[in-house]
Amino acid sequence: MSKRIKVLGFGLTALAMCGLSYSAVVAEPNNNQLMIDGKKITTNVKAPKGSPFEKLYSGWRFRSAETQKLQSDDFENPGFPLVDLGTELWQKVDGSAGKSCASCHNDASKSMKGVRATMPKMHKEIGKVQSLQQHVNYCRTERMGAKAWKWESNQMLGMAAYVGLQSRGMPVNVKIDGPAKAAHDKGKKLYYTRVGQLDMSCAGCHEENFGKMIRADHLSQGQINGFPTYRFKWQKMGSVHRRFKGCMKNIRAKPYKVGSDEFVALELYVASRGKGLSVESPAVRN
Amino acid sequence: MARPRVKVPKSASKDEVITIKTLISHKMESGQRKDKKTGEKIPRKIINKFTAKFNGTQVFAVDIEPAVSANPFLQFTVKVPESGEFEFTWLDDDGKTYSAKKKITVN
């Protein structure tokens, strides 16, 4: 109780002093280091040129020690049962062409290495920037003659996590120039546009106020290097588009659809803000 | 669809107490739930027994009841006197067994 009064008192003082209308409780990202199987995962890196941040922090740095610990051991990482499903699906023949992922791409640990770090990226045949999920579904429908997987299905999440895992520890390095520039710019515009009844933009929380508490939540920089991520709130793994939808609902805006051009553009732009952070898929968050 | 996963250290010193972690992806249908559409009870289907053998001798076993969550995670410690192989078995209600094997070298 006394703490609450103190916070309120601080807020009132601040209000009186400079006329600000909110009290900020600052809780900086912590300094823990993420090691997975003896391999260091970069969760903090100097921001690249043109970034609004001085330093980039993975969302991992904003979580409690208990949550962080789960990610440092693949056995305790609750995302791994779905990775196992993805591993199985990689070899599984499906569709009229009688092929599996492995029929063309062989060993995922070689062919898919680094793929997640560059996603979303231009899909030559479709002619648009596409998320990993859309690249997977293109293969399924056009090359395997199989049915497309639903965005948040276990199969798709498992496959995305399995492919993502092959790039774990590699720095995020999405292309934003050339044919991807249009999508990047569209994403940037979405990032800074205020929407919804609360009239907030992504930047309002994740750029201007990261590190602070928004009620009981510790605001991160909104980095997406760990997706697909196992989230305790969901009790499941989920895609970054699902996370975007959640944010939009919180600010009482009408969310775009998963896999929409808007979310793909936003995903590309947000990914580009995290250039240099290690891919963490499948990460664990709360 | 059940997929077992096991984590055993690759090597240990003689008589060392090692920690073993096991997890099996399994729905663990408790038998208490009803199908929302038909109102029928969904039959129980859980992993009801787990055993761990080392070089053929049982070193750990557990009976599992319906209250255990999906994807049961079991962690236990074992003293290893010599090099050998662990064999883990999960027994399903429908009679199926799932198994995994892991070797360990004792120096």
Side-chain angles (χ1 to χ4, degrees):
Chain A
M1 196 61 196
S2 73
K3 199 175 177 190
R4 193 185 262 183
I5 290 168
K6 225 194 252 167
V7 171
L8 188 67
F10 171 72
L12 288 174
T13 325
L15 193 74
M17 278 191 324
C18 47
L20 283 177
S21 57
Y22 62 89
S23 71
V25 182
V26 181
E28 290 296 315
N30 56 48
N31 277 321
N32 299 343
Q33 297 295 326
L34 176 57
M35 300 282 284
I36 303 176
D37 289 337
K39 214 170 109 188
K40 189 175 176 260
I41 305 286
T42 310
T43 51
N44 161 223
V45 72
K46 204 173 152 253
K49 244 190 187 168
S51 168
F53 303 117
E54 271 175 41
K55 273 182 166 183
L56 304 183
Y57 294 101
S58 156
W60 186 83
R61 289 289 190 104
F62 296 85
R63 304 281 68 95
S64 67
E66 297 85 350
T67 309
Q68 288 182 335
K69 194 170 156 266
L70 287 173
Q71 205 185 314
S72 62
D73 182 354
D74 285 348
F75 207 88
E76 292 187 14
N77 183 332
F80 267 77
L82 274 188
V83 173
D84 288 352
L85 174 67
T87 316
E88 225 166 74
L89 290 170
W90 183 263
Q91 304 284 350
K92 197 177 162 194
V93 174
D94 197 5
S96 55
K99 285 185 191 170
S100 69
C101 303
S103 313
C104 298
H105 297 290
N106 303 315
D107 184 0
S109 66
K110 290 193 186 104
S111 62
M112 292 296 127
K113 196 171 182 188
V115 169
R116 164 65 178 81
T118 62
M119 286 289 170
K121 76 172 170 200
M122 195 69 192
H123 193 296
K124 275 186 206 133
E125 282 89 348
I126 300 174
K128 286 201 280 194
V129 171
Q130 298 276 270
S131 298
L132 177 59
Q133 285 87 340
Q134 288 154 323
H135 286 259
V136 170
N137 265 346
Y138 183 85
C139 264
R140 284 186 59 79
T141 55
E142 304 301 313
R143 302 197 213 283
M144 293 166 66
K147 262 173 110 180
W149 281 325
K150 282 193 177 147
W151 201 271
E152 292 294 330
S153 63
N154 282 348
Q155 291 100 319
M156 184 55 97
L157 290 167
M159 184 55 70
Y162 176 61
V163 172
L165 179 65
Q166 314 307 327
S167 312
R168 190 166 67 181
M170 295 173 77
V172 171
N173 191 18
V174 287
K175 266 214 173 92
I176 53 169
D177 51 355
K181 191 172 184 301
H184 169 267
D185 293 350
K186 184 179 179 178
K188 185 171 183 179
K189 200 175 160 210
L190 285 166
Y191 194 89
Y192 286 101
T193 306
R194 286 169 175 269
V195 287
Q197 286 183 322
L198 298 188
D199 200 29
M200 289 164 84
S201 69
C202 310
C205 288
H206 297 291
E207 181 173 313
E208 291 155 25
N209 286 300
F210 79 89
K212 292 176 189 161
M213 302 299 288
I214 181 165
R215 293 192 155 187
D217 267 341
H218 196 182
L219 278 176
S220 74
Q221 286 181 345
Q223 300 290 1
I224 57 170
N225 52 320
F227 279 90
T229 287
Y230 187 97
R231 249 191 120 199
F232 292 114
K233 182 181 174 182
W234 296 333
Q235 287 289 296
K236 207 188 157 190
M237 197 186 272
S239 71
V240 67
H241 290 197
R242 182 175 177 193
R243 188 67 195 83
F244 287 161
K245 265 172 85 176
C247 258
M248 290 191 80
K249 276 187 193 157
N250 288 348
I251 58 170
R252 299 180 203 164
K254 193 178 171 220
Y256 299 106
K257 291 204 164 64
V258 292
S260 62
D261 288 352
E262 285 84 1
F263 272 169
V264 174
L266 187 60
E267 184 184 348
L268 175 64
Y269 175 65
V270 178
S272 76
R273 291 168 68 97
K275 271 192 181 185
L277 287 172
S278 293
V279 172
E280 286 176 33
S281 323
V284 185
R285 303 283 188 266
N286 52 356
Chain B
M1 283 290 252
R3 289 173 291 273
R5 290 170 63 211
V6 184
K7 190 177 183 181
V8 179
K10 283 198 178 71
S11 62
S13 49
K14 190 174 155 54
D15 287 337
E16 188 182 333
V17 177
I18 59 161
T19 301
I20 294 177
K21 294 173 180 175
T22 74
L23 186 148
I24 187 161
S25 308
H26 193 282
K27 261 198 153 165
M28 300 292 276
E29 189 59 60
S30 70
Q32 318 258 345
R33 295 197 309 154
K34 276 182 183 168
D35 187 316
K36 273 181 193 155
K37 281 177 195 149
T38 61
E40 302 269 318
K41 258 196 179 174
I42 304 171
R44 183 184 120 158
K45 189 178 183 294
I46 65 168
I47 299 284
N48 58 50
K49 197 171 175 59
F50 167 80
T51 53
K53 283 182 180 172
F54 183 62
N55 290 341
T57 320
Q58 181 171 306
V59 289
F60 180 83
V62 57
D63 289 332
I64 303 175
E65 302 294 338
V68 172
S69 73
N71 306 335
F73 175 106
L74 296 168
Q75 179 178 323
F76 52 93
T77 51
V78 177
K79 196 167 164 183
V80 278
E82 61 198 23
S83 296
E85 190 174 52
F86 280 100
E87 191 185 350
F88 308 94
T89 317
W90 292 259
L91 182 63
D92 202 326
D93 270 347
D94 61 9
K96 269 192 198 139
T97 57
Y98 307 99
S99 60
K101 284 178 183 176
K102 284 275 163 160
K103 282 199 171 97
I104 185 165
T105 320
V106 171
N107 312 312

